[in-house]
Amino acid sequence: MSDPTPALADPAVDGAAPAAEPAPEAAVTEILARVQAPEGQGRAIRDAATGDVVGRAPEHTVDDLDAAIARAKAAQPAWDALGHEERSRLLLEAADRIDAAAEALARLLSREQGKPLNGPNARFEVGACSAWLRTAATTVLEPQVVVDDGEVHAELVYRAVGVVGAIGPWNWPMMIAVWQIAPALRMGNTVVVKPSEYTPLSVLALLDVLNQVLPADVLIGISGDREVGARLSSHPDIDKVMFTGSTATGRKIIESSAGNLARLTLELGGNDAGIVLPDADPQAIAEGLFWGAFINTGQTCAALKRLYVHDSIYEDVVSALGALAQQIPMGRGLDEQNVLGPLQNRQQFDIVSRLVEDAKARGGRVVAGGEPAPELGELFYRATIIADVEDGIALVDEEQFGPALPIIRYSDVDDAVASANRLDVGLGASVWSSDREQAREVAARIQAGTVWINSHGGVHPMIPFGGVKGSGYGLEFGVEGLKAVSVPQVING
């Protein structure tokens, strides 16, 4: 997986990737020593799989945040003045540093977040960080001539916004941080990053590697609580907020940013639907369906979370997915053979447990899983396939964000499309068929920011990505992603 971009475009990864040579544990210890709180201070961060203490996160305050924003604001004009070519050079050098530290970063990530090293997981995520950084560094955003009629010449250009506040999630903490950081830095902004309280150490470690190359105060990490996050989105010197997380928190950010009129990019919760048309081959699509739902043990905003299957092939699809769910290895992330890990935190474990128990009580048929796996650890939940459920139950209508996939039977494709569109979310969706043109016709009727054909959840650094409805607004990646962290300016004359 030396080049993660093709794998990211198709998360149906075959089992465990060849293991890289393990970095000495001393490399992880060295990074932690630079980023964690001094001995006896900070908040303990525990291994999601074992409960062991990974390290101690700094507990920055609102005052610390205010000081960081002031430093970032002071550093921004000089960073912007370097120009695109020099900023790109530094970002490419930073990507090289990520590659050099990749194994240590992946091992820290695996311990803190819980995801295994192999498969579409920790090594995959760290590889994606350098891939996205390189793409942002080399993507060209040309001025656009909007009028040139002999009398008027008008160009649309894009300038730096200023200081960007980046608030990240715990599910893909490093990769999503780079999604926010890379285009913002490329366009001449400085960035203040507030990682999730659940996974601060891996993000701070990533920033430490990047800051080996970047000028001082161009990129600053602040590890704090929700009060710090609220202050970041409302601070008068924050010009842009980028947030990935829940819809509920996204609404709070919209409210808190009203005072400073900060520009927003919000990638919020999803409850992605997949529709399997009657001409699909159950065996051919089973692995793609499985990884569309269970990548990162289901803890992905754009994962497949409710699957509608035509009655004529329903049992075949259910059976194929059940067989996969029972055979995919789950366990501690540092064990090389595993490709599914624990839920990252107790709150999410309880949500998955509640939704599955409710589905069982309402007549859902457990095809695989359906219960915790306490022999593996406190936060492990077996990969679960539940059939014979309907719209309206909690497991279908609520975002489970974990390893449990409900499968719903349908007989009319119009009903399946209506079901896919009935919820107030629209991050992603997918259509599965042997007839690509037919699939595209159905896809065009689905209300989602991205609709995949015969895959689900794959992202690419040059393909714009964003949601509709309650899944947020704004685009990331590629040229559109650069525009999103800029302010447009018209040069007329």
Side-chain angles (χ1 to χ4, degrees):
M1 302 179 70
S2 58
D3 179 1
T5 304
L8 284 167
D10 180 2
V13 176
D14 291 330
E21 286 296 320
E25 192 62 27
V28 180
T29 303
E30 182 182 338
I31 291 178
L32 277 173
R34 295 198 298 267
V35 303
Q36 69 178 341
E39 186 174 352
Q41 300 180 29
R43 180 172 54 87
I45 301 297
R46 297 189 178 275
D47 187 316
T50 67
D52 297 338
V53 174
V54 176
R56 302 193 69 84
E59 294 183 292
H60 294 133
T61 65
V62 168
D63 288 342
D64 294 326
L65 173 68
D66 289 345
I69 293 173
R71 287 159 47 206
K73 183 177 181 179
Q76 192 273 327
W79 174 246
D80 190 20
L82 288 180
H84 288 297
E85 184 175 347
E86 177 62 10
R87 289 196 300 272
S88 294
R89 186 190 68 78
L90 290 170
L91 293 180
L92 290 172
E93 185 178 342
D96 291 340
R97 296 295 181 96
I98 292 175
D99 290 341
E103 183 64 12
L105 291 173
R107 286 176 171 271
L108 175 57
L109 175 63
S110 179
R111 292 168 63 190
E112 183 180 49
Q113 200 280 336
K115 64 184 65 182
L117 291 171
N118 289 321
N121 291 300
R123 289 175 177 140
F124 171 86
E125 178 168 350
V126 175
C129 290
S130 61
W132 250 264
L133 198 57
R134 292 182 200 283
T135 300
T138 55
T139 297
V140 176
L141 176 55
E142 297 283 4
Q144 177 186 352
V145 177
V146 291
V147 174
D148 187 11
D149 60 6
E151 296 183 5
V152 175
H153 182 90
E155 290 186 352
L156 179 63
V157 297
Y158 291 87
R159 308 297 189 198
V161 176
V163 182
V164 173
I167 305 174
W170 50 259
N171 58 331
W172 295 92
M174 289 184 176
M175 184 172 72
I176 291 177
V178 168
W179 289 359
Q180 299 169 333
I181 293 166
L185 292 179
R186 163 71 171 75
M187 293 306 296
N189 306 291
T190 51
V191 186
V192 177
V193 179
K194 195 274 181 190
S196 166
E197 297 169 66
Y198 290 113
T199 53
L201 295 175
S202 55
V203 175
L204 293 177
L206 175 69
L207 302 188
D208 176 75
V209 171
L210 297 175
N211 278 324
Q212 294 171 14
V213 172
L214 298 173
D217 297 334
V218 165
L219 177 63
I220 304 173
I222 291 292
S223 172
D225 57 17
R226 294 184 180 182
E227 182 181 5
V228 173
R231 173 62 172 167
L232 179 60
S233 62
S234 63
H235 197 286
D237 288 331
I238 290 292
D239 303 290
K240 167 88 184 186
V241 176
M242 304 185 76
F243 171 74
T244 296
S246 71
T247 300
T249 302
R251 289 193 175 101
K252 292 178 182 178
I253 288 174
I254 294 171
E255 294 171 0
S256 65
S257 66
N260 62 1
L261 294 178
R263 296 164 184 265
L264 301 177
T265 295
L266 303 176
E267 195 260 90
L268 307 179
N271 193 347
D272 288 14
I275 299 176
V276 180
L277 300 183
D279 67 338
D281 180 342
Q283 291 300 322
I285 66 174
E287 189 173 357
L289 286 170
F290 181 86
W291 283 113
F294 290 91
I295 185 171
N296 197 26
T297 316
Q299 299 167 111
T300 297
C301 293
L304 174 59
K305 298 191 173 83
R306 49 195 173 110
L307 181 62
Y308 297 88
V309 181
H310 191 269
D311 182 74
S312 62
I313 57 172
Y314 181 84
E315 290 299 340
D316 290 337
V317 171
V318 167
S319 177
L321 285 173
L324 278 173
Q326 290 170 346
Q327 71 186 41
I328 298 293
M330 170 182 281
R332 183 171 179 260
L334 294 181
D335 295 339
E336 297 281 353
Q337 76 275 12
N338 294 323
V339 290
L340 294 179
L343 276 302
Q344 201 285 323
N345 56 77
R346 168 57 63 177
Q347 180 181 12
Q348 201 57 45
F349 179 91
D350 290 343
I351 290 171
V352 173
S353 298
R354 171 180 62 82
L355 294 176
V356 171
E357 289 303 311
D358 179 75
K360 289 158 62 176
R362 295 175 180 272
R365 170 167 50 112
V366 177
V367 180
E371 61 184 5
E375 74 280 7
L376 298 177
E378 184 179 349
L379 298 180
F380 285 88
Y381 201 96
R382 302 189 198 284
T384 296
I385 302 293
I386 294 194
D388 302 344
V389 292
E390 297 180 350
D391 288 350
I393 73 163
L395 182 59
V396 176
D397 285 11
E398 298 181 26
E399 183 182 22
Q400 68 276 50
F401 216 69
L405 178 65
I407 306 181
I408 305 101
R409 186 191 306 262
Y410 78 90
S411 58
D412 186 283
V413 70
D414 291 341
D415 293 338
V417 170
S419 289
N421 291 338
R422 59 183 280 270
L423 302 179
D424 186 30
V425 286
L427 189 56
S430 57
V431 181
W432 304 75
S433 172
S434 297
D435 184 338
R436 185 169 295 272
E437 287 308 310
Q438 182 184 19
R440 290 176 65 86
E441 290 175 6
V442 174
R445 299 166 58 193
I446 298 177
Q447 298 165 3
T450 300
V451 183
W452 292 274
I453 305 297
N454 293 328
S455 67
H456 194 110
V459 290
H460 187 287
M462 286 302 295
I463 299 175
F465 179 73
V468 299
K469 300 196 289 187
S471 293
Y473 48 76
L475 290 173
E476 299 178 271
F477 311 162
V479 173
E480 295 303 320
L482 298 181
K483 292 178 180 179
V485 289
S486 311
V487 288
Q489 181 184 46
V490 174
I491 307 296
N492 189 343

